[in-house]
Amino acid sequence: MIWKVFVALAIGLISSLPAETLAQNFRSGASFWTPPNSTSQCRSSYQGIPSYQLAQTLTRRPYPNDDGVNFSTQYSMWLAEVVAGRNVEKHKANLLKIASAKTFTKPNLKGGWSPIYIQSNLMKMTAMFVVTLDSRGQLSPVEREILIAWGDKMLPGQKGSKGNSSADSRMASGVAMLAWGSVKGDQRLMKTGYKKFNSGYDYVLKSVGNLKRHPGHKGIPVSSLSLESEYNVALQHAVEGAAVLRNLGIDVAAKSVNGNNLHTAVGWWTGEISRMPVNGEFTKAWSHNSHVGWIPIYIRMYGNQPASPRLKAYGRRVTSGRSPSFRAVSLGGATDCLW
């Protein structure tokens, strides 16, 4: 009889725990991302990338003078070429030099858009860089340590809340920590990343059919950031994070809030953007974060979902024969190459 009471109490305790706690069982030995088998879509284009200055301090500036965004765009094209096996030694040498100089490791948080977001992009792309080179035996232990030391310098901003309060930023930081924890074999960091990701994920599910400003963007006028743009940027990191977590053994896409999960959110949003002008305010193939580069990620991971055929058709309209099809910098660049 006593054991029955104990079991009942245990079951009650487990059922009361948040989903984040129950789901932190990452699959042993899993990687957050694997280089694609086919690299036919791994094209690069440096067209229209403004110049940039590299320094340890990262300060956001209005386009086209945003050094962090401009470098990230260039870096995303290096990543596509390295995944395809082109110019590997050249890009690796550049990256090791940049990493050794601790480039962009000191975020300037005084006003403007947050540099923490740029750092999360850089950490994730570097993690992809490491995985690609590791898989081919093209990264020595010393070289690997240089890259890891660079990313480690950016971790404090990802873990913190200053300049990192909106849903998109928190999910981007979560993905960055999941990726970085994966390449380091650091389960604790991965769990921290998962918790950070979840702290922004609910915004996407709660906003289905009812767009609202996230509290982290309170006070930003619609003329600067429309509700549609805010949702699209948040959704891209929700899709990316769900793909990363699925690779690690966690099905966050099944999580439901107010009756909505990732698939109902994507289905609803697909209908919304399909009625809007192609290459409008945020329905672009090439952009830092005002893009729909999340489409190839969703189709690759969830091609059997009802929204996927419509997304394929919409993706063809948006890209209209461009090469690479997507240059979605905040998601690592050429997403139909990476995923």
Side-chain angles (χ1 to χ4, degrees):
M1 187 68 180
I2 294 176
W3 70 268
K4 290 183 179 180
V5 173
F6 176 79
V7 170
L9 288 173
I11 291 173
L13 175 61
I14 290 172
S15 64
S16 68
L17 291 173
E20 298 93 293
T21 302
L22 293 174
Q24 288 179 356
N25 298 312
F26 298 104
R27 189 166 58 241
S28 178
S31 175
F32 80 99
W33 173 79
T34 304
N37 292 325
S38 171
T39 60
S40 62
Q41 299 301 317
C42 294
R43 306 182 184 102
S44 59
S45 172
Y46 299 92
Q47 173 189 337
I49 302 177
S51 61
Y52 54 83
Q53 297 293 320
L54 298 178
Q56 285 193 356
T57 300
L58 175 55
T59 301
R60 297 295 305 274
R61 296 186 176 92
Y63 183 84
N65 301 312
D66 196 323
D67 293 324
V69 170
N70 297 344
F71 171 67
S72 295
T73 308
Q74 184 103 352
Y75 189 20
S76 73
M77 295 296 95
W78 293 357
L79 178 60
E81 291 189 13
V82 168
V83 169
R86 299 192 305 271
N87 300 317
V88 175
E89 290 303 318
K90 173 186 174 182
H91 294 321
K92 186 173 79 169
N94 282 336
L95 181 54
L96 289 169
K97 182 179 178 180
I98 288 166
S100 296
K102 301 295 184 286
T103 302
F104 294 151
T105 55
K106 297 180 179 179
N108 180 359
L109 296 169
K110 295 180 180 178
W113 296 105
S114 175
I116 302 301
Y117 186 71
I118 300 297
Q119 287 185 326
S120 69
N121 298 167
L122 294 177
M123 286 182 66
K124 175 186 56 197
M125 284 192 271
T126 304
M128 289 179 163
F129 206 111
V130 169
V131 169
T132 301
L133 296 178
D134 273 349
S135 69
R136 300 171 185 168
Q138 295 174 316
L139 195 64
S140 73
V142 172
E143 291 168 339
R144 195 181 202 277
E145 185 53 41
I146 289 171
L147 297 182
I148 294 299
W150 183 37
D152 281 349
K153 286 283 188 179
M154 303 185 201
L155 272 175
Q158 308 308 311
K159 293 179 178 179
S161 58
K162 192 171 184 180
N164 192 18
S165 59
S166 63
D168 59 300
S169 291
R170 297 178 76 80
M171 284 188 286
S173 286
V175 171
M177 286 187 281
L178 284 164
W180 207 245
S182 178
V183 299
K184 292 183 66 175
D186 187 338
Q187 287 272 327
R188 180 176 294 182
L189 180 58
M190 291 167 68
K191 290 182 179 182
T192 300
Y194 182 61
K195 183 177 180 181
K196 177 75 81 171
F197 173 81
N198 264 297
S199 71
Y201 187 58
D202 283 4
Y203 164 76
V204 171
L205 305 185
K206 289 178 179 177
S207 299
V208 173
N210 185 26
L211 293 180
K212 292 181 179 180
R213 178 72 81 222
H214 186 272
H217 281 155
K218 183 180 180 180
I220 297 178
V222 172
S223 58
S224 299
L225 179 69
S226 70
L227 296 180
E228 291 81 6
S229 289
E230 179 171 19
Y231 187 76
N232 189 71
V233 174
L235 180 65
Q236 66 176 272
H237 293 296
V239 169
E240 175 189 45
V244 165
L245 285 164
R246 185 178 182 183
N247 286 338
L248 293 173
I250 295 175
D251 183 18
V252 76
K255 179 180 178 179
S256 178
V257 175
N258 295 340
N260 294 307
N261 60 23
L262 180 68
H263 305 306
T264 55
V266 168
W268 168 70
W269 193 238
T270 299
E272 293 297 303
I273 60 177
S274 295
R275 292 191 288 272
M276 298 177 186
V278 172
N279 287 321
E281 181 183 359
F282 57 83
T283 53
K284 299 174 184 176
W286 287 17
S287 178
H288 171 233
N289 63 357
S290 298
H291 57 71
V292 287
W294 52 269
I295 290 175
I297 304 176
Y298 186 83
I299 291 172
R300 170 66 182 83
M301 301 302 288
Y302 306 108
N304 61 341
Q305 291 295 322
S308 289
R310 287 188 296 158
L311 283 174
K312 285 182 181 179
Y314 182 77
R316 287 193 292 269
R317 286 174 56 205
V318 172
T319 55
S320 60
R322 272 192 173 187
S323 184
S325 299
F326 293 93
R327 198 168 79 182
V329 180
S330 56
L331 296 180
T335 50
D336 52 350
C337 155
L338 302 177
W339 295 90

